[in-house]
């Protein structure tokens, strides 16, 4: 199947060819025709499946077909839980929308609103936003949502985890009743279903890669190691395996800073990305990692949402997450869109029970690396 089989117009297929995408991913195949036909969607899928393009492409096409009417007002709203994900989505709109005259903007907190307000004043068709800043700018009268025709709630599960439910409810009351809604979540927990039921009308359900099988493409192994030896093991592995580019996860912000400090001390270029860093510092770190001037990016889980780096070969779990699902999200940063990836985990005595839960969730025995210098 090709993108033109999905009835996508020339400007969009050309943009996809430029990105090197030839075949639609399963979520794209299953969603795009329904979205183009005006249906609501309930998509159970996580990042890494190509879900951003699955909603961005048909939204661009529908707005384009309508001659961008009405002019200069927001017709599509995409809500995302984190700044990183919002930026990522916005980059997708930039890439795919090149040949259209559809304008989009991205707004999120933690930075001055000045530039965002200026962009909004010039008129935008598509708005990508995190809930807090959106409400803030709505309350100040800079954003009206009366003309929304397309509403996307992305990573709804993470939105609820992060406590955005009341913000979301407030935003929803400002949207027109008549609209097309696309709802994406990695899980189908009861509170997610409840929210989906209030929003969606007769939705088409698309279920891609349940969390437990998402990790199939990623080669996974675990190193049992003493807590105090983890930093030595990390250096050893990076150097011995010639790892040029890796995303390293810790559970805490302090932990992330410590790992960076230890790596820098031994001459390995590393930066941390977490909630205590300013937006500017986070973007610099992420861009440095993407353009490969930074070899190792150390992240906490929340900050890592939306990190999408082409051809990321390695994810290293310096600390094992308490929630097994988090492990799947972490390792899903590699092995994206069908590429192979490697995930290594460092597990100390206190983390054994977390690791057991992970093996249970993914229903797979993870290879144990028995010969390493810090057994
Ligand atoms: P997402 O799930 O939207 O975060 O996308 C995961 C990654 O797959 C991103 O790097 C996308 O740019 C990429 N991608 C999306 N669609 C395709 C496709 N049809 N073929 C190859 N890569 C894709």
């Amino acid at each position: 199947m090709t993108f033109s089989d999905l009835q996508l117009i020339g400007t969009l297929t050309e943009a996809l060819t430029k990105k090197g995408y030839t075949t639609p991913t399963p979520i794209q195949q299953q969603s795009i025709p329904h979205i183009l036909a005006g249906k609501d969607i309930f998509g159970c899928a996580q990042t890494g499946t190509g879900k951003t393009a699955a909603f961005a492409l048909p939204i661009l096409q529908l707005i384009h077909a309508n001659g961008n009417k009405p002019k200069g007002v927001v017709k599509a709203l995409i809500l995302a839980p984190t700044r990183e994900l919002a930026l990522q989505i916005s980059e997708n709109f930039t890439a795919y929308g090149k040949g259209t005259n559809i304008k989009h903007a991205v707004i999120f907190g933690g930075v001055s609103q000045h530039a965002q307000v200026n962009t909004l004043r010039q008129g935008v068709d598509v708005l990508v936003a995190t809930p807090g800043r959106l409400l803030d700018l709505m309350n100040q009268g800079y954003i009206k949502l009366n003309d929304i025709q397309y509403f996307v709630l992305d990573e709804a599960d993470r939105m609820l985890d992060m406590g955005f439910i009341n913000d979301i409810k407030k935003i929803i009351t400002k949207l027109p009743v008549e609209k097309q809604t696309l709802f994406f979540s990695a899980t189908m927990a009861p509170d997610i279903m409840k929210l989906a039921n209030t929003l969606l009308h007769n939705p088409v359900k698309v279920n891609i890669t349940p969390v437990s099988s998402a990790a199939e493409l990623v080669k996974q192994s675990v190193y049992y190691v003493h807590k105090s030896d983890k930093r030595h093991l990390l250096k050893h592995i990076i150097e011995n395996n010639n790892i040029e580019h890796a995303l390293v996860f810790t559970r805490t912000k302090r932990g992330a800073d410590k790992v960076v400090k230890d790596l820098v001390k031994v001459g390995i270029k590393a930066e941390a990305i977490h909630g205590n860093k300013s937006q500017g510092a986070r973007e610099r770190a992420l861009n440095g990692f993407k353009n490969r001037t930074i070899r190792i990016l150390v992240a906490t889980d929340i900050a890592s949402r939306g990190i999408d780096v082409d051809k990321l070969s390695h994810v290293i779990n310096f600390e094992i997450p308490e929630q097994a699902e988090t492990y799947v999200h972490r390792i899903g940063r590699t092995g994206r869109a069908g590429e192979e990836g490697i995930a290594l985990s460092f597990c100390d005595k206190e983390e054994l029970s977390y690791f057991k839960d992970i093996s249970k969730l993914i229903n797979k025995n993870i290879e144990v690396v028995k010969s390493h210098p810090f057994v």
Side-chain angles (χ1 to χ4, degrees):
M1 181 179 283
T2 67
F3 284 101
S4 15
D5 294 333
L6 294 177
Q7 312 297 326
L8 287 178
I9 52 175
T11 44
L12 297 178
T13 53
E14 280 157 29
L16 290 161
T17 312
K18 256 195 208 132
K19 286 216 78 166
Y21 303 164
T22 48
T23 317
T25 65
I27 191 160
Q28 293 161 4
Q29 294 183 22
Q30 292 176 42
S31 314
I32 291 175
H34 294 297
I35 301 175
L36 288 175
K39 300 289 282 178
D40 281 3
I41 296 279
F42 180 102
C44 191
Q46 56 184 52
T47 49
T49 53
K51 77 176 156 59
T52 314
F55 64 76
L57 293 166
I59 286 178
L60 284 166
Q61 177 151 330
L62 289 165
I63 295 179
H64 185 70
N66 226 348
N68 297 9
K69 274 190 215 137
K71 285 259 175 270
V73 302
V74 186
K75 296 163 208 49
L77 172 67
I78 292 102
L79 275 188
T82 64
R83 307 156 188 187
E84 282 76 16
L85 184 63
L87 275 171
Q88 199 71 58
I89 295 170
S90 162
E91 281 164 19
N92 275 253
F93 273 95
T94 308
Y96 306 139
K98 269 212 173 96
T100 69
N101 61 353
I102 297 170
K103 287 192 183 164
H104 72 274
V106 57
I107 59 170
F108 44 76
V111 293
S112 147
Q113 68 173 47
H114 186 69
Q116 297 175 357
V117 169
N118 276 347
T119 313
L120 290 168
R121 281 208 176 107
Q122 289 160 28
V124 295
D125 302 292
V126 176
L127 183 62
V128 185
T130 54
R133 177 57 60 96
L134 175 64
L135 271 176
D136 197 0
L137 295 183
M138 283 164 67
N139 290 338
Q140 295 177 55
Y142 291 118
I143 299 171
K144 298 255 176 308
L145 300 177
N146 319 29
D147 290 291
I148 293 292
Q149 299 164 21
Y150 312 102
F151 174 48
V152 180
L153 195 61
D154 200 10
E155 301 208 343
D157 52 336
R158 179 55 57 140
M159 296 262 198
L160 298 197
D161 278 357
M162 291 172 73
F164 284 140
I165 185 68
N166 288 330
D167 285 355
I168 292 170
K169 282 185 178 158
K170 278 186 209 152
I171 294 164
I172 291 169
T173 60
K174 304 288 182 209
L175 300 173
V177 178
E178 276 283 307
K179 63 185 172 303
Q180 189 175 357
T181 303
L182 316 174
F183 185 106
F184 294 92
S185 171
T187 64
M188 288 204 267
D191 50 349
I192 294 290
M193 298 308 291
K194 209 166 125 197
L195 180 62
N197 287 337
T198 63
L199 274 173
L200 298 167
H201 299 282
N202 224 350
V204 174
K205 297 203 172 80
V206 181
N207 196 349
I208 306 290
T209 50
V211 150
S212 51
S213 66
E216 264 156 27
L217 270 166
V218 179
K219 197 165 168 282
Q220 301 160 62
S221 48
V222 57
Y223 294 72
Y224 291 114
V225 57
H226 199 278
K227 198 175 190 163
S228 58
D229 281 331
K230 283 189 178 185
R231 61 199 176 105
H232 305 301
L233 180 62
L234 182 62
K235 171 180 184 278
H236 171 82
I237 289 177
I238 291 173
E239 286 176 348
N240 272 49
N241 299 12
N242 282 327
I243 296 179
E244 282 312 321
H245 212 214
L247 181 58
V248 173
F249 282 99
T250 59
R251 279 198 302 266
T252 65
K253 299 167 196 167
R254 265 187 65 211
D257 288 334
K258 177 90 178 52
V259 171
V260 167
K261 218 167 130 201
D262 288 335
L263 286 174
V264 170
K265 231 189 259 166
V266 295
I268 295 173
K269 201 148 187 219
E271 284 279 356
I273 183 165
H274 57 61
N276 282 1
K277 299 250 168 189
S278 71
Q279 181 61 18
R282 285 157 74 154
E283 272 169 41
R284 267 195 308 281
L286 191 54
N287 287 337
F289 188 60
K290 282 185 176 174
N291 66 31
R292 301 194 173 230
T293 52
I294 291 167
R295 189 172 176 188
I296 309 291
L297 187 68
V298 186
T300 55
D301 291 299
I302 297 238
S304 86
R305 272 278 173 147
I307 293 182
D308 179 22
V309 180
D310 275 349
K311 308 215 182 301
L312 174 63
S313 59
H314 289 76
V315 164
I316 301 178
N317 294 306
F318 190 85
E319 287 165 341
I320 307 299
E322 289 174 29
Q323 301 281 332
E325 281 86 2
T326 304
Y327 172 88
V328 182
H329 287 308
R330 284 183 181 185
I331 70 168
R333 306 288 119 193
T334 177
R336 285 164 92 78
E339 294 201 12
E340 264 199 11
I342 296 175
L344 311 176
S345 298
F346 298 177
C347 181
D348 66 39
K349 245 187 2 240
E350 287 157 31
E351 297 170 318
L352 282 172
S353 66
Y354 304 150
F355 208 74
K356 242 193 217 146
D357 291 344
I358 290 167
S359 303
K360 220 195 274 161
L361 175 73
I362 64 172
N363 200 12
K364 194 159 145 175
N365 278 329
I366 298 171
E367 184 200 330
V368 180
V369 180
K370 293 206 174 101
S371 57
H372 66 82
F374 307 99
V375 251

